[in-house]
Amino acid sequence: MTIAVEPAAPEYVWTANNALVFTPRGMPPASYPVLIHLLGRQEPGGRCLVTHGTLAAEIGITRSKVTRGLQHLAFARMVWKEGNGSYRLSPLIAGFRTPAEQLHAIGAMDDDDRFDHPDFQERYEHQIEQHEEEKRAKAAERQRRLEPPIDLATRRRT
């Protein structure tokens, strides 16, 4: 006896598919396949449950490139990290059950999280500059810690 099992259809997700229109100039090449992959994996509302390792394996790039790609997508405010292995696409590019749900989510967005501003490119570049400054400050702090401690006992003898 054969039992027929109907495959469960994935939940339909409506989206405008305009994500690549908004990508800023100068994004690393790995950002594009990461973004496209997240667009394909998302749940309604833009939530994506995936680890860097899984993304790397599925896309065919290194984990470090996935990390850098996600980092730049976050600088552009296209993807937000919600927790370990949990990301959310901006409502401006995320898929929803209906166009009305997307419009409601876009209306609820903070102005600072929008990437359809005329100053979008400048804000993206500013985020990169801030990140680079933080990296330099951390490197300088590590260098300070590498200096040997002052031996006060030796100084007193001389």
Side-chain angles (χ1 to χ4, degrees):
M1 180 165 135
T2 306
I3 299 175
V5 177
E6 287 190 33
E11 190 168 3
Y12 177 74
V13 177
W14 180 90
T15 182
N17 293 324
N18 57 1
L20 296 178
V21 172
F22 290 106
T23 55
R25 290 181 312 279
M27 284 184 72
S31 299
Y32 298 99
V34 170
L35 177 60
I36 291 168
H37 199 75
L38 291 176
L39 286 166
R41 289 187 71 104
Q42 68 179 308
E43 299 171 355
R47 184 170 168 227
C48 304
L49 299 174
V50 64
T51 64
H52 289 214
T54 302
L55 278 171
E58 291 176 355
I59 297 171
I61 60 177
T62 64
R63 283 186 63 179
S64 62
K65 287 184 180 179
V66 168
T67 300
R68 187 160 189 250
L70 284 168
Q71 189 175 52
H72 278 262
L73 290 169
F75 292 156
R77 296 182 171 113
M78 298 180 91
V79 176
W80 297 295
K81 183 173 182 171
E82 291 187 326
N84 288 338
S86 178
Y87 299 90
R88 182 158 312 266
L89 295 167
S90 168
L92 292 167
I93 59 172
F96 290 83
R97 288 181 186 90
T98 65
E101 282 184 18
Q102 183 179 29
L103 290 174
H104 181 339
I106 290 171
M109 286 179 69
D110 187 352
D111 244 8
D112 289 338
D113 291 332
R114 297 182 68 95
F115 52 83
D116 57 350
H117 278 254
D119 66 342
F120 170 64
Q121 183 68 36
E122 292 79 17
R123 290 183 344 176
Y124 170 72
E125 291 169 0
H126 179 71
Q127 287 287 321
I128 294 171
E129 288 171 17
Q130 278 186 317
H131 176 70
E132 292 298 323
E133 285 177 24
E134 289 172 9
K135 280 177 37 178
R136 282 191 291 275
K138 286 179 183 178
E141 179 62 31
R142 282 192 301 273
Q143 287 297 322
R144 276 195 294 263
R145 281 190 253 138
L146 292 177
E147 294 174 5
I150 299 171
D151 186 2
L152 295 176
T154 305
R155 283 192 165 180
R156 287 187 192 133
R157 289 186 209 139
T158 53

